[in-house]
Amino acid sequence: MHIEIAPLRRLVSAIFSAAGCDRAESDRIALYLSNANLAGHDSHGVIRVPRYVEYLRAGKVKAGQGLTVVTENDVLAVLDGNFGFGQTVGPLAVRHGIDKAAANGVALIALRHAGHLGRIGEWAEMAAAEGLVSVHFVNVAGSLLVAPFGGTSRRLSTAPFAAGVPVAGKPPMILDFATSVVAEGKALVAMNGGKPLPEGSLIGPDGKPTTDPVALYGVVAPGTSPNPRNGPGAIRAMGEHKGSGLALLCELLAGALTGSGCAGPGERSVANGMLSLYMSPAFFGSGDAFAGEVAGYIDFFKSANPVDPDGEVLIPGEPERQRRTARERDGVPLTDDAWQAILGAARGVGLGQEETDALLADAVK
Ligand code: NAD
């Protein structure tokens, strides 16, 4: 089924308002989750609603939090997200970095203890919209999901990396990926009956690659949410030894340097850490030359002969923009299981059937 974006946002916002968030925060959660669906990253979209509601109930994420400044100077800030929603403390931290880089040319922002920051490319897009280059190293403290190269035990989070470069007169280059073969949410989508996992995504305790999400979640009892802590296997680090090394770097910079904590060992509160670098090309004495070089080089890059004669070489960020155009027109595709889980979350926070129907009015295509 396809759900139109506006009523989907209305429903998600109403769920978080009923769960105890104020209206502005509820709207932000709905906006950023549904933006991930528009970009085609369903793993980081509204499929997360039931889990976010559970986290809020359990006190693992807190409504109405702001940032606390741990330390700060003109070009550096260490900010504590106080386990607030990533959709609230994330954009506040990015705003902090944008303002510092706009004033001083460069900024390094260490964000610790943020709730789930969702699709990290969103934050690179926010910086690129203001003409800034940005690089983001992210980890998830308390989330051991990924086996390092050469291992079968979980030692890493899915630790995403993202970067954005503005392109004069055109949309920015936005590179944004988990350093695991797949993001955990992609396994969640597969577990919920959506797109199957690509070959070699997971590894069993026997060291054999598998695509069966049960390796990650174990067998899920009916009526319960899949819990990625329960499976006997792990997600594999991407790119063999190179991707595993980048994942380790994300853990060290986003986990240790920010003070958010690495993925393990031992029990840790689940939180995103994010170390972000912002650069203003205007301060590099080559603002126009930079813009010209980037635009020219991207044209050159894209002019490579395509492998598929009917295909096209894309820059990172282009697939998301193409999907956004299609999904703004056609609505967001959701599996029946994912949709039922969202409706279940709505009922769970006390939204009545009539209220839900009114919010959705003709949304389902
Ligand atoms: P992915 O494997 O779909 O890769 C996405 C990246 O590859 C994008 O930059 C995209 O533009 C680029 N890309 C895709 N196809 C391309 C093509 N044909 N040509 C050129 N570039 C192409 O992403 P993923 O690893 O599944 O990650 C999904 C999302 O999960 C990301 O948004 C990431 O930030 C998010 N994530 C978040 C967390 C968290 O804790 N908040 C953890 C893990 C992942």
Side-chain angles (χ1 to χ4, degrees):
M1 75 175 69
H2 285 71
I3 314 284
E4 279 183 28
I5 190 72
L8 182 62
R9 283 182 178 150
R10 281 200 297 270
L11 175 64
V12 173
S13 177
I15 291 173
F16 286 97
S17 290
C21 298
D22 70 20
R23 181 63 193 265
E25 183 157 65
S26 303
D27 283 350
R28 275 193 301 274
I29 298 169
L31 174 74
Y32 290 126
L33 285 182
S34 62
N35 275 356
N37 288 106
L38 286 181
H41 292 290
D42 296 326
S43 56
H44 286 68
V46 296
I47 197 170
R48 300 263 167 173
V49 167
R51 196 184 286 179
Y52 277 22
V53 170
E54 274 173 32
Y55 278 15
L56 183 61
R57 276 216 186 102
K60 290 180 181 168
V61 65
K62 297 189 175 76
Q65 297 301 304
L67 293 172
T68 307
V69 176
V70 180
T71 179
E72 178 163 35
N73 63 30
D74 285 350
V75 293
L76 170 84
V78 179
L79 305 170
D80 197 314
N82 299 306
F83 299 96
F85 274 97
Q87 291 75 12
T88 293
V89 297
L92 285 175
V94 176
R95 183 76 255 160
H96 214 76
I98 290 172
D99 291 347
K100 277 191 187 298
N104 301 299
V106 65
L108 191 64
I109 305 292
L111 173 64
R112 60 170 75 155
H113 305 149
H116 187 239
L117 290 163
R119 178 182 162 254
I120 306 304
E122 179 88 39
W123 316 125
E125 280 171 1
M126 188 172 156
E130 306 223 8
L132 300 182
V133 175
S134 68
V135 183
H136 310 262
F137 298 91
V138 179
N139 87 320
V140 200
S143 173
L144 279 174
L145 293 172
V146 180
F149 178 69
T152 62
S153 322
R154 300 178 181 199
R155 288 293 181 271
L156 298 157
S157 65
T158 53
F161 171 86
V165 177
V167 183
K170 295 199 180 138
M173 191 283 302
I174 302 290
L175 180 62
D176 169 31
F177 53 79
T179 52
S180 45
V181 173
V182 287
E184 185 261 313
K186 299 230 156 118
L188 185 62
V189 170
M191 191 77 201
N192 280 340
K195 197 171 165 195
L197 289 172
E199 284 300 323
S201 299
L202 309 179
I203 188 163
D206 55 0
K208 294 210 173 92
T210 171
T211 54
D212 185 352
V214 168
L216 199 61
Y217 298 104
V219 177
V220 179
T224 60
S225 301
N227 182 342
R229 286 172 183 243
N230 291 347
I235 310 179
R236 293 175 66 221
M238 68 162 209
E240 307 302 328
H241 55 293
K242 303 181 192 185
S244 184
L246 179 58
L248 175 58
L249 184 66
C250 285
E251 289 290 347
L252 297 179
L253 297 186
L257 194 56
T258 65
S260 204
C262 299
E267 277 294 309
R268 290 163 183 234
S269 301
V270 175
N272 270 148
M274 178 163 78
L275 186 81
S276 301
L277 177 62
Y278 300 88
M279 293 163 267
S280 170
F283 280 73
F284 284 67
S286 60
D288 290 345
F290 170 79
E293 185 72 11
V294 168
Y297 181 69
I298 282 182
D299 285 345
F300 175 63
F301 179 95
K302 284 181 62 61
S303 70
N305 285 335
V307 172
D308 172 355
D310 298 325
E312 182 192 358
V313 173
L314 302 174
I315 63 161
E318 272 192 293
E320 284 77 8
R321 278 191 295 280
Q322 291 173 351
R323 283 188 294 251
R324 197 172 293 135
T325 305
R327 289 179 172 202
E328 276 170 349
R329 184 189 59 224
D330 304 332
V332 167
L334 284 177
T335 65
D336 199 42
D337 282 359
W339 183 233
Q340 291 308 325
I342 294 167
L343 294 178
R347 283 190 299 276
V349 295
L351 285 186
Q353 190 61 46
E354 262 181 37
E355 203 176 341
T356 301
D357 289 346
L359 288 163
L360 287 174
D362 302 328
V364 182
K365 292 184 174 175

